[in-house]
Each structure stands twice: as structure tokens, then as C-alpha cells.
Coordinates of all heavy atoms in Angstrom, one line a residue:
M1 N 111.1 9.4 26.7 CA 110.2 8.6 25.7 C 109.3 9.6 25.0 O 108.9 10.6 25.5 CB 109.4 7.6 26.5 CG 108.6 6.7 25.6 SD 107.9 5.3 26.3 CE 109.3 4.5 26.9
D2 N 109.0 9.3 23.7 CA 108.3 10.3 22.9 C 106.7 10.2 23.3 O 106.3 9.2 23.9 CB 108.2 9.8 21.5 CG 109.5 10.0 20.8 OD1 110.2 10.9 21.3 OD2 110.0 9.1 19.9
A3 N 106.0 11.2 23.1 CA 104.7 11.3 23.4 C 103.8 10.6 22.2 O 104.3 10.4 21.1 CB 104.1 12.7 23.4
C4 N 102.6 10.1 22.5 CA 101.8 9.5 21.6 C 101.5 10.4 20.4 O 101.1 11.6 20.6 CB 100.6 9.0 22.3 SG 99.3 8.4 21.1
P5 N 101.7 9.9 19.1 CA 101.4 10.8 18.0 C 99.9 11.0 17.8 O 99.5 12.0 17.1 CB 102.0 10.1 16.8 CG 102.2 8.8 17.3 CD 102.4 8.7 18.7
K6 N 99.1 10.3 18.4 CA 97.6 10.5 18.2 C 97.0 11.4 19.2 O 96.2 12.3 18.8 CB 96.9 9.1 18.2 CG 95.5 9.2 18.0 CD 94.8 7.8 18.0 CE 93.3 7.9 17.9 NZ 92.5 6.6 17.9
C7 N 97.2 11.1 20.6 CA 96.6 11.9 21.6 C 97.7 12.7 22.5 O 97.3 13.4 23.4 CB 95.9 11.0 22.5 SG 96.9 10.0 23.6
Q8 N 98.9 12.6 22.1 CA 100.1 13.4 22.8 C 100.3 13.1 24.2 O 100.9 13.7 25.0 CB 99.8 14.9 22.8 CG 100.1 15.5 21.4 CD 99.2 15.1 20.3 OE1 98.0 15.1 20.4 NE2 99.7 14.5 19.2
S9 N 99.7 11.9 24.7 CA 99.8 11.4 26.0 C 101.4 11.0 26.2 O 102.0 10.5 25.3 CB 99.0 10.1 26.3 OG 99.3 9.5 27.5
C10 N 101.9 11.2 27.4 CA 103.2 10.7 27.7 C 103.2 9.3 28.4 O 104.2 8.7 28.6 CB 103.9 11.7 28.6 SG 104.3 13.2 27.8
R11 N 101.9 8.6 28.5 CA 101.8 7.4 29.1 C 102.0 6.4 28.0 O 101.0 5.8 27.5 CB 100.5 7.3 29.7 CG 100.4 8.1 31.0 CD 99.0 8.1 31.7 NE 98.1 7.1 31.5 CZ 97.9 6.1 32.2 NH1 98.5 5.9 33.4 NH2 97.0 5.1 31.8
V12 N 103.3 6.2 27.5 CA 103.7 5.4 26.4 C 104.6 4.2 26.9 O 105.5 4.5 27.8 CB 104.3 6.1 25.4 CG1 104.9 5.3 24.2 CG2 103.5 7.1 24.8
V13 N 104.3 3.0 26.5 CA 105.3 1.9 26.9 C 105.9 1.3 25.7 O 105.2 1.1 24.7 CB 104.4 0.8 27.7 CG1 103.3 0.3 26.9 CG2 105.3 -0.2 28.3
P14 N 107.2 0.9 25.7 CA 107.8 0.3 24.7 C 107.6 -1.3 24.7 O 107.2 -1.8 25.8 CB 109.3 0.5 24.8 CG 109.5 0.7 26.3 CD 108.1 1.3 26.7
G15 N 107.6 -2.0 23.6 CA 107.4 -3.4 23.5 C 107.6 -4.0 22.2 O 108.2 -3.3 21.4
G16 N 107.0 -5.1 21.9 CA 107.1 -5.7 20.6 C 106.0 -6.6 20.4 O 105.2 -6.9 21.2
L17 N 105.9 -7.1 19.2 CA 104.8 -8.1 18.8 C 105.5 -9.5 18.9 O 106.6 -9.7 18.4 CB 104.3 -7.9 17.5 CG 103.4 -6.6 17.2 CD1 103.1 -6.6 15.7 CD2 102.3 -6.7 18.1
Y18 N 104.8 -10.5 19.6 CA 105.4 -11.7 19.7 C 104.4 -12.8 19.3 O 103.2 -12.7 19.5 CB 105.8 -12.0 21.2 CG 107.0 -11.1 21.6 CD1 106.7 -9.8 22.1 CD2 108.2 -11.4 21.4 CE1 107.7 -9.0 22.5 CE2 109.3 -10.7 21.7 CZ 109.0 -9.4 22.2 OH 110.1 -8.5 22.5
D19 N 104.9 -13.9 18.7 CA 104.1 -15.1 18.4 C 104.4 -16.2 19.4 O 105.5 -16.8 19.1 CB 104.2 -15.4 16.9 CG 103.5 -16.6 16.4 OD1 102.5 -17.0 17.2 OD2 103.7 -17.0 15.4
E20 N 103.6 -16.4 20.3 CA 103.9 -17.4 21.4 C 105.2 -17.0 22.1 O 105.3 -15.9 22.6 CB 103.9 -18.9 20.8 CG 102.5 -19.2 20.3 CD 102.4 -20.6 19.7 OE1 103.3 -21.4 20.1 OE2 101.4 -20.9 19.0
S21 N 106.2 -17.8 21.9 CA 107.5 -17.5 22.6 C 108.5 -16.9 21.8 O 109.6 -16.6 22.2 CB 108.0 -18.7 23.4 OG 108.3 -19.7 22.3
F22 N 108.2 -16.6 20.6 CA 109.2 -16.1 19.5 C 108.9 -14.7 19.1 O 107.7 -14.3 19.1 CB 109.3 -16.9 18.3 CG 109.6 -18.4 18.5 CD1 108.7 -19.3 18.5 CD2 110.9 -18.7 18.8 CE1 108.9 -20.7 18.7 CE2 111.2 -20.0 19.1 CZ 110.2 -21.0 19.1
P23 N 109.9 -13.8 18.9 CA 109.5 -12.5 18.5 C 108.8 -12.5 17.2 O 109.1 -13.4 16.3 CB 110.9 -11.8 18.2 CG 111.9 -12.6 19.2 CD 111.3 -14.0 19.2
F24 N 107.9 -11.7 17.0 CA 107.0 -11.6 15.7 C 107.9 -11.3 14.5 O 108.8 -10.4 14.6 CB 106.0 -10.6 16.0 CG 105.1 -10.4 14.8 CD1 104.0 -11.5 14.5 CD2 105.1 -9.4 14.0 CE1 103.1 -11.4 13.6 CE2 104.2 -9.2 12.9 CZ 103.2 -10.2 12.7
S25 N 107.8 -12.0 13.4 CA 108.6 -11.8 12.3 C 107.8 -11.3 11.1 O 108.1 -11.6 10.0 CB 109.4 -13.1 11.9 OG 108.5 -14.1 11.5
G26 N 106.8 -10.6 11.3 CA 105.9 -10.0 10.3 C 106.5 -8.9 9.5 O 107.7 -8.5 10.0
V27 N 105.9 -8.6 8.5 CA 106.4 -7.4 7.6 C 105.3 -6.4 7.4 O 104.1 -6.8 7.6 CB 106.9 -7.9 6.3 CG1 108.1 -8.9 6.4 CG2 105.8 -8.7 5.6
F28 N 105.7 -5.3 7.1 CA 104.8 -4.3 6.7 C 104.6 -4.3 5.2 O 105.6 -4.3 4.4 CB 105.3 -2.8 7.0 CG 104.3 -1.7 6.6 CD1 103.2 -1.4 7.3 CD2 104.6 -1.0 5.4 CE1 102.3 -0.5 6.8 CE2 103.8 -0.1 4.9 CZ 102.6 0.2 5.6
R29 N 103.4 -4.5 4.6 CA 103.2 -4.5 3.2 C 102.2 -3.5 2.8 O 101.0 -3.5 3.3 CB 102.6 -5.9 2.9 CG 102.4 -6.1 1.3 CD 101.8 -7.4 1.0 NE 102.7 -8.5 1.6 CZ 102.2 -9.7 1.9 NH1 101.0 -9.9 1.9 NH2 103.0 -10.5 2.4
P30 N 102.6 -2.5 2.0 CA 101.6 -1.5 1.6 C 100.6 -2.1 0.7 O 100.9 -3.1 0.1 CB 102.5 -0.5 0.8 CG 103.8 -1.2 0.5 CD 103.9 -2.3 1.5
P31 N 99.5 -1.3 0.5 CA 98.5 -1.9 -0.5 C 98.9 -1.7 -1.8 O 99.9 -1.0 -2.2 CB 97.3 -1.0 -0.2 CG 97.8 0.2 0.3 CD 99.1 -0.1 1.1
G32 N 98.3 -2.5 -2.8 CA 98.4 -2.2 -4.2 C 99.6 -2.9 -4.8 O 100.3 -2.5 -5.7
L33 N 99.9 -4.2 -4.3 CA 101.0 -5.0 -5.0 C 100.5 -5.3 -6.4 O 99.4 -5.6 -6.7 CB 101.2 -6.3 -4.3 CG 101.8 -6.2 -2.9 CD1 102.0 -7.7 -2.4 CD2 103.1 -5.5 -3.0
R34 N 101.4 -5.2 -7.4 CA 101.2 -5.6 -8.7 C 100.8 -7.1 -8.9 O 101.4 -7.9 -8.1 CB 102.4 -5.3 -9.6 CG 102.7 -3.8 -9.7 CD 103.6 -3.5 -10.8 NE 104.9 -4.3 -10.6 CZ 106.0 -3.7 -10.4 NH1 106.2 -2.5 -10.2 NH2 107.1 -4.6 -10.2
S35 N 100.0 -7.4 -9.7 CA 99.7 -8.8 -10.0 C 101.0 -9.5 -10.4 O 101.8 -9.0 -11.1 CB 98.7 -8.9 -11.1 OG 97.5 -8.3 -10.8
F36 N 101.2 -10.7 -9.9 CA 102.3 -11.6 -10.2 C 103.6 -11.1 -9.8 O 104.7 -11.5 -10.4 CB 102.2 -11.9 -11.7 CG 101.0 -12.6 -12.2 CD1 100.1 -11.8 -13.0 CD2 100.6 -13.7 -11.7 CE1 99.0 -12.4 -13.4 CE2 99.3 -14.4 -12.2 CZ 98.5 -13.6 -13.0
T37 N 103.6 -10.1 -8.9 CA 105.0 -9.6 -8.4 C 105.5 -10.7 -7.5 O 104.8 -11.4 -6.8 CB 104.8 -8.3 -7.6 OG1 106.1 -7.8 -7.4 CG2 104.1 -8.4 -6.4
F38 N 106.9 -10.8 -7.5 CA 107.5 -11.8 -6.6 C 108.4 -11.1 -5.6 O 109.2 -10.4 -6.0 CB 108.3 -12.8 -7.5 CG 109.1 -13.8 -6.7 CD1 108.5 -14.8 -6.1 CD2 110.5 -13.6 -6.5 CE1 109.2 -15.7 -5.2 CE2 111.2 -14.5 -5.7 CZ 110.6 -15.5 -5.0
T39 N 108.2 -11.4 -4.4 CA 109.1 -10.8 -3.3 C 109.3 -11.9 -2.3 O 108.4 -12.6 -1.8 CB 108.3 -9.7 -2.7 OG1 109.0 -9.4 -1.5 CG2 106.9 -9.8 -2.3
I40 N 110.6 -12.1 -2.0 CA 110.9 -13.2 -0.9 C 110.5 -12.6 0.4 O 110.0 -13.4 1.2 CB 112.4 -13.4 -1.0 CG1 112.8 -14.0 -2.4 CG2 113.0 -14.3 0.2 CD1 114.3 -14.2 -2.6
S41 N 110.7 -11.4 0.7 CA 110.4 -10.9 2.1 C 108.9 -10.7 2.3 O 108.4 -10.8 3.4 CB 111.1 -9.6 2.4 OG 110.7 -8.7 1.6
G42 N 108.2 -10.4 1.3 CA 106.8 -10.2 1.4 C 106.4 -8.7 1.9 O 105.3 -8.4 1.9
G43 N 107.5 -8.0 2.1 CA 107.2 -6.6 2.6 C 108.5 -6.0 3.2 O 109.6 -6.5 2.9
V44 N 108.3 -5.1 4.1 CA 109.5 -4.4 4.8 C 109.4 -4.8 6.3 O 108.3 -4.6 6.8 CB 109.4 -2.9 4.6 CG1 110.6 -2.2 5.3 CG2 109.4 -2.5 3.1
H45 N 110.5 -5.3 6.8 CA 110.6 -5.6 8.2 C 110.7 -4.4 9.1 O 111.5 -3.6 8.9 CB 111.8 -6.5 8.4 CG 111.7 -7.9 7.9 ND1 110.9 -8.9 8.5 CD2 112.1 -8.4 6.7 CE1 111.0 -10.0 7.7 NE2 111.7 -9.7 6.7
P46 N 109.8 -4.3 10.1 CA 109.8 -3.2 10.9 C 111.0 -3.3 11.9 O 111.5 -4.5 12.2 CB 108.5 -3.2 11.7 CG 108.1 -4.6 11.6 CD 108.7 -5.1 10.3
Q47 N 111.3 -2.2 12.6 CA 112.3 -2.3 13.6 C 111.6 -3.0 14.8 O 110.5 -3.0 14.9 CB 112.8 -0.9 14.0 CG 113.6 -0.3 12.9 CD 114.1 1.1 13.4 OE1 113.8 1.7 14.4 NE2 114.9 1.8 12.4
P48 N 112.4 -3.8 15.6 CA 111.8 -4.6 16.6 C 111.0 -4.0 17.7 O 110.1 -4.5 18.2 CB 112.9 -5.4 17.1 CG 114.2 -4.7 16.8 CD 113.9 -3.8 15.5
E49 N 111.5 -2.8 18.1 CA 110.7 -2.1 19.2 C 109.5 -1.2 18.6 O 109.6 -0.5 17.7 CB 111.7 -1.1 19.9 CG 110.9 -0.6 21.2 CD 111.9 0.2 22.0 OE1 112.7 -0.4 22.8 OE2 111.9 1.4 21.9
L50 N 108.5 -1.6 19.3 CA 107.1 -0.8 19.0 C 106.8 -0.1 20.3 O 107.4 -0.1 21.3 CB 106.0 -1.7 18.7 CG 106.3 -2.6 17.4 CD1 105.1 -3.6 17.3 CD2 106.4 -1.8 16.2
H51 N 105.8 0.9 20.1 CA 105.3 1.6 21.3 C 103.9 1.6 21.3 O 103.2 1.5 20.3 CB 105.7 3.1 21.2 CG 107.2 3.3 21.4 ND1 108.1 3.2 20.2 CD2 108.0 3.5 22.3 CE1 109.4 3.4 20.6 NE2 109.3 3.5 21.9
A52 N 103.2 1.6 22.6 CA 101.8 1.6 22.7 C 101.4 2.7 23.7 O 102.1 2.8 24.7 CB 101.4 0.2 23.2
C53 N 100.3 3.4 23.4 CA 99.9 4.4 24.3 C 98.9 3.7 25.3 O 97.9 3.1 24.8 CB 99.2 5.4 23.4 SG 98.4 6.8 24.5
L54 N 99.0 4.1 26.6 CA 98.1 3.6 27.6 C 96.8 4.3 27.7 O 95.9 3.8 28.3 CB 98.8 3.7 29.0 CG 100.0 2.8 29.1 CD1 100.8 3.1 30.4 CD2 99.6 1.3 29.1
D55 N 96.7 5.4 27.0 CA 95.5 6.2 27.1 C 94.5 5.9 25.8 O 93.3 5.8 26.0 CB 95.8 7.7 27.2 CG 96.4 8.0 28.5 OD1 95.9 7.4 29.6 OD2 97.3 8.8 28.7
C56 N 95.1 5.9 24.6 CA 94.3 5.7 23.4 C 94.5 4.4 22.7 O 93.7 4.0 21.9 CB 94.5 6.9 22.4 SG 96.0 6.8 21.5
G57 N 95.6 3.7 23.1 CA 95.8 2.3 22.5 C 96.5 2.3 21.2 O 96.7 1.3 20.6
L58 N 96.9 3.4 20.7 CA 97.6 3.5 19.5 C 98.9 2.6 19.6 O 99.6 2.8 20.5 CB 98.0 4.9 19.1 CG 98.8 5.0 17.7 CD1 97.9 4.7 16.5 CD2 99.4 6.4 17.6
L59 N 99.2 1.9 18.6 CA 100.4 1.0 18.5 C 101.2 1.5 17.3 O 100.6 1.7 16.2 CB 100.0 -0.4 18.4 CG 101.2 -1.4 18.2 CD1 102.0 -1.6 19.4 CD2 100.7 -2.8 17.7
W60 N 102.4 1.9 17.5 CA 103.3 2.3 16.4 C 104.7 1.8 16.4 O 105.2 1.4 17.4 CB 103.2 3.9 16.3 CG 104.0 4.6 17.3 CD1 105.2 5.1 17.2 CD2 103.5 5.0 18.6 NE1 105.6 5.8 18.4 CE2 104.5 5.8 19.2 CE3 102.3 4.8 19.2 CZ2 104.4 6.3 20.5 CZ3 102.2 5.3 20.5 CH2 103.2 6.1 21.1
G61 N 105.3 1.9 15.2 CA 106.7 1.4 15.1 C 107.3 2.2 13.9 O 106.8 3.2 13.5
Q62 N 108.4 1.6 13.4 CA 109.2 2.2 12.4 C 109.7 1.4 11.4 O 110.2 0.2 11.8 CB 110.3 3.1 13.0 CG 111.1 4.0 12.0 CD 112.0 5.0 12.8 OE1 111.9 5.2 13.9 NE2 112.8 5.6 12.0
V63 N 109.8 1.5 10.2 CA 110.5 0.8 9.2 C 111.6 1.7 8.5 O 111.6 3.0 8.7 CB 109.6 0.3 8.0 CG1 108.5 -0.6 8.6 CG2 109.0 1.5 7.3
E64 N 112.6 1.1 7.9 CA 113.6 1.9 7.2 C 113.1 2.4 6.1 O 112.5 1.8 5.1 CB 114.8 0.9 6.8 CG 115.9 1.5 6.1 CD 116.6 2.5 7.1 OE1 116.9 2.2 8.2 OE2 116.9 3.6 6.6
A65 N 113.0 3.8 5.9 CA 112.4 4.5 4.9 C 112.9 4.1 3.5 O 112.0 4.0 2.5 CB 112.5 6.0 5.1
S66 N 114.1 4.0 3.3 CA 114.7 3.7 2.0 C 114.3 2.3 1.5 O 114.0 2.1 0.4 CB 116.3 3.8 2.0 OG 116.8 2.9 2.9
Q67 N 114.2 1.3 2.5 CA 113.7 0.0 2.1 C 112.2 0.0 1.7 O 111.8 -0.6 0.8 CB 113.9 -0.9 3.2 CG 115.3 -1.3 3.6 CD 115.4 -2.2 4.8 OE1 114.4 -2.6 5.4 NE2 116.7 -2.5 5.2
L68 N 111.4 0.8 2.4 CA 110.0 1.0 2.0 C 109.8 1.6 0.7 O 109.1 1.1 -0.2 CB 109.3 1.8 3.1 CG 107.8 2.0 2.8 CD1 107.1 0.7 2.8 CD2 107.2 2.9 4.1
R69 N 110.6 2.6 0.4 CA 110.5 3.3 -0.9 C 110.8 2.3 -2.1 O 110.3 2.1 -3.1 CB 111.5 4.5 -1.0 CG 110.9 5.7 -0.3 CD 111.7 7.0 -0.6 NE 113.0 6.9 -0.3 CZ 113.5 7.2 1.0 NH1 112.6 7.6 1.9 NH2 114.7 7.1 1.3
R70 N 112.0 1.6 -1.9 CA 112.4 0.5 -2.8 C 111.4 -0.6 -3.0 O 111.2 -0.9 -4.2 CB 113.8 -0.1 -2.4 CG 115.0 0.8 -2.8 CD 116.3 0.0 -2.7 NE 116.5 -0.7 -1.3 CZ 117.0 -0.1 -0.3 NH1 117.5 1.1 -0.4 NH2 117.3 -0.8 0.8
F71 N 110.7 -1.0 -1.9 CA 109.8 -2.1 -2.0 C 108.6 -1.5 -2.9 O 108.1 -2.2 -3.8 CB 109.3 -2.5 -0.6 CG 108.3 -3.6 -0.7 CD1 108.7 -4.9 -0.7 CD2 106.9 -3.4 -0.8 CE1 107.8 -6.0 -0.8 CE2 106.0 -4.4 -0.8 CZ 106.5 -5.7 -0.9
I72 N 108.1 -0.2 -2.6 CA 107.0 0.3 -3.4 C 107.3 0.5 -4.8 O 106.6 0.0 -5.7 CB 106.5 1.6 -2.7 CG1 105.9 1.3 -1.4 CG2 105.5 2.3 -3.7 CD1 105.6 2.6 -0.6
E73 N 108.5 1.0 -5.1 CA 109.0 1.1 -6.5 C 109.0 -0.2 -7.2 O 108.6 -0.2 -8.5 CB 110.4 1.8 -6.5 CG 110.3 3.2 -6.1 CD 111.7 3.9 -6.0 OE1 112.6 3.2 -5.8 OE2 111.7 5.1 -5.8
K74 N 109.4 -1.2 -6.6 CA 109.6 -2.5 -7.3 C 108.4 -3.4 -7.4 O 108.2 -4.0 -8.3 CB 110.7 -3.3 -6.5 CG 111.1 -4.6 -7.3 CD 112.3 -5.3 -6.5 CE 112.7 -6.5 -7.2 NZ 113.8 -7.2 -6.7
H75 N 107.5 -3.3 -6.3 CA 106.4 -4.2 -6.2 C 105.0 -3.6 -6.3 O 104.0 -4.5 -6.4 CB 106.5 -5.1 -4.9 CG 107.8 -5.9 -4.9 ND1 108.0 -6.9 -5.6 CD2 108.9 -5.6 -4.1 CE1 109.2 -7.4 -5.3 NE2 109.7 -6.6 -4.5
C76 N 104.9 -2.4 -6.3 CA 103.4 -1.8 -6.2 C 103.0 -1.2 -7.5 O 103.9 -0.8 -8.3 CB 103.4 -0.8 -5.0 SG 103.5 -1.5 -3.4
T77 N 101.7 -1.0 -7.7 CA 101.2 -0.4 -8.9 C 101.6 1.0 -9.1 O 102.1 1.7 -8.2 CB 99.7 -0.5 -8.8 OG1 99.3 0.3 -7.7 CG2 99.2 -1.9 -8.7
A78 N 101.5 1.5 -10.4 CA 101.8 2.9 -10.7 C 100.9 3.8 -9.9 O 101.4 4.9 -9.4 CB 101.6 3.1 -12.2
E79 N 99.7 3.4 -9.6 CA 98.7 4.2 -8.8 C 99.4 4.5 -7.4 O 99.3 5.6 -6.9 CB 97.3 3.5 -8.7 CG 96.4 4.3 -7.9 CD 95.0 3.7 -7.8 OE1 94.8 2.6 -8.5 OE2 94.1 4.1 -7.1
V80 N 99.8 3.4 -6.7 CA 100.4 3.5 -5.5 C 101.6 4.4 -5.5 O 101.9 5.3 -4.7 CB 100.6 2.1 -4.7 CG1 101.3 2.3 -3.5 CG2 99.3 1.4 -4.5
Q81 N 102.5 4.1 -6.5 CA 103.7 4.9 -6.6 C 103.5 6.4 -6.7 O 104.1 7.2 -6.1 CB 104.6 4.3 -7.7 CG 105.1 2.9 -7.5 CD 105.7 2.4 -8.7 OE1 106.1 3.1 -9.6 NE2 105.9 1.1 -8.7
T82 N 102.4 6.7 -7.5 CA 102.1 8.1 -7.8 C 101.6 8.8 -6.5 O 101.9 9.9 -6.1 CB 101.0 8.3 -8.9 OG1 101.6 7.7 -10.1 CG2 100.6 9.7 -9.1
K83 N 100.7 8.0 -5.8 CA 100.1 8.4 -4.6 C 101.2 8.7 -3.5 O 101.2 9.7 -2.7 CB 99.1 7.4 -4.0 CG 98.4 7.9 -2.7 CD 97.4 7.0 -2.3 CE 96.6 7.4 -1.0 NZ 95.6 6.7 -0.7
C84 N 102.2 7.9 -3.6 CA 103.4 8.0 -2.6 C 104.5 9.0 -3.1 O 105.5 9.2 -2.5 CB 104.1 6.7 -2.3 SG 103.0 5.5 -1.5
E85 N 104.2 9.7 -4.2 CA 105.1 10.6 -4.8 C 106.3 10.0 -5.3 O 107.5 10.6 -5.2 CB 105.3 11.8 -4.1 CG 103.9 12.6 -3.8 CD 104.1 13.8 -3.0 OE1 105.2 14.1 -2.5 OE2 103.2 14.5 -2.7
L86 N 106.4 8.7 -5.7 CA 107.5 8.0 -6.2 C 107.5 8.0 -7.7 O 108.4 7.3 -8.4 CB 107.6 6.6 -5.7 CG 107.8 6.5 -4.0 CD1 107.7 5.1 -3.6 CD2 109.1 7.2 -3.7
R87 N 106.5 8.5 -8.4 CA 106.4 8.5 -9.8 C 105.5 9.6 -10.2 O 104.6 10.0 -9.5 CB 105.6 7.2 -10.2 CG 105.2 7.1 -11.7 CD 104.4 5.8 -11.8 NE 105.4 4.9 -12.3 CZ 105.2 4.0 -13.3 NH1 104.1 3.9 -13.9 NH2 106.1 3.1 -13.6
D88 N 105.8 10.3 -11.3 CA 105.0 11.4 -11.8 C 103.7 10.9 -12.4 O 103.6 9.9 -12.8 CB 105.7 12.1 -13.0 CG 107.0 12.8 -12.5 OD1 107.0 13.2 -11.3 OD2 107.9 13.0 -13.3
A89 N 102.7 11.6 -12.1 CA 101.3 11.3 -12.5 C 101.3 11.2 -14.1 O 100.5 10.3 -14.7 CB 100.3 12.3 -12.1
D90 N 102.2 11.9 -14.9 CA 102.2 11.7 -16.4 C 102.8 10.5 -16.7 O 102.5 10.1 -17.9 CB 102.9 12.9 -17.0 CG 102.7 14.2 -16.3 OD1 101.8 14.4 -15.5 OD2 103.3 15.2 -16.6
S91 N 103.7 9.9 -16.0 CA 104.5 8.7 -16.5 C 103.8 7.4 -16.3 O 104.4 6.4 -16.4 CB 105.9 8.8 -15.9 OG 105.8 8.6 -14.6
S92 N 102.5 7.4 -15.9 CA 101.9 6.1 -15.6 C 101.7 5.3 -16.8 O 101.5 5.2 -17.9 CB 100.5 6.3 -15.1 OG 100.4 7.3 -14.2

């Protein structure tokens, strides 16, 4: 198992987010959605397994990078796209 990316502790436990008795079906949504953008998913679905550090409490997971880039390119402002290096600063 990987070490914690924040404190490098090896005391890490795998798990997931759950809403009552069902697996959590939330999405990751970056800031800076354009006004009046339409998205069915609302964001990018994370992989189901998360990890939590028993020493510092950091919780982390993973999303599909290509899906996240596509979501930002389609639904986020030029400012966010530039900050994420998905758009040249001159082309805003």
C-alpha cells in the first residue's frame, strides 16, 4: 500500500464514501464552471476506492485524468483552463 502523500505515514487504510447503505455516487467538480453550462454528470466520477491516513487524516482518491481534462475544457472558464495549462494565456 502507498504511503500518505501528506505525511508519508504507512498507516493507510483503503475504503470508500457511502451514503447510508449505498456506495457514494458523488462527482469531483473543479471550480470555475462557466455560467449556463450544461452537464449531465455534474463532474467527473472518482474511482470507487479511496484511501485515508490514520496519522494525519488525509483522504484521497483518483479520477480518470483524460475525463477530468475533457470536463474542464468543455465546462470551465478560460481562466481555469489557463491555470490548468489546457489553454494558452494569449487565446483567452
Side-chain angles (χ1 to χ4, degrees):
M1 184 169 301
D2 295 327
C4 173
K6 181 178 178 184
C7 73
Q8 285 67 53
S9 169
C10 290
R11 293 174 20 103
V12 172
V13 60
L17 294 177
Y18 295 90
D19 181 9
E20 297 180 18
S21 61
F22 301 103
F24 183 71
S25 63
V27 294
F28 176 79
R29 183 181 304 146
L33 287 184
R34 290 190 309 248
S35 298
F36 306 108
T37 190
F38 176 74
T39 167
I40 293 172
S41 67
V44 180
H45 290 277
Q47 293 180 356
E49 187 172 278
L50 301 175
H51 295 86
C53 178
L54 295 167
D55 291 321
C56 73
L58 180 70
L59 175 70
W60 71 96
Q62 187 170 347
V63 298
E64 181 64 44
S66 61
Q67 291 177 0
L68 180 57
R69 284 190 300 272
R70 278 194 307 272
F71 185 87
I72 292 171
E73 288 168 344
K74 186 173 181 181
H75 299 290
C76 290
T77 61
E79 179 182 353
V80 171
Q81 292 176 22
T82 301
K83 185 175 181 176
C84 294
E85 298 180 359
L86 296 173
R87 170 183 267 223
D88 293 332
D90 316 352
S91 64
S92 322

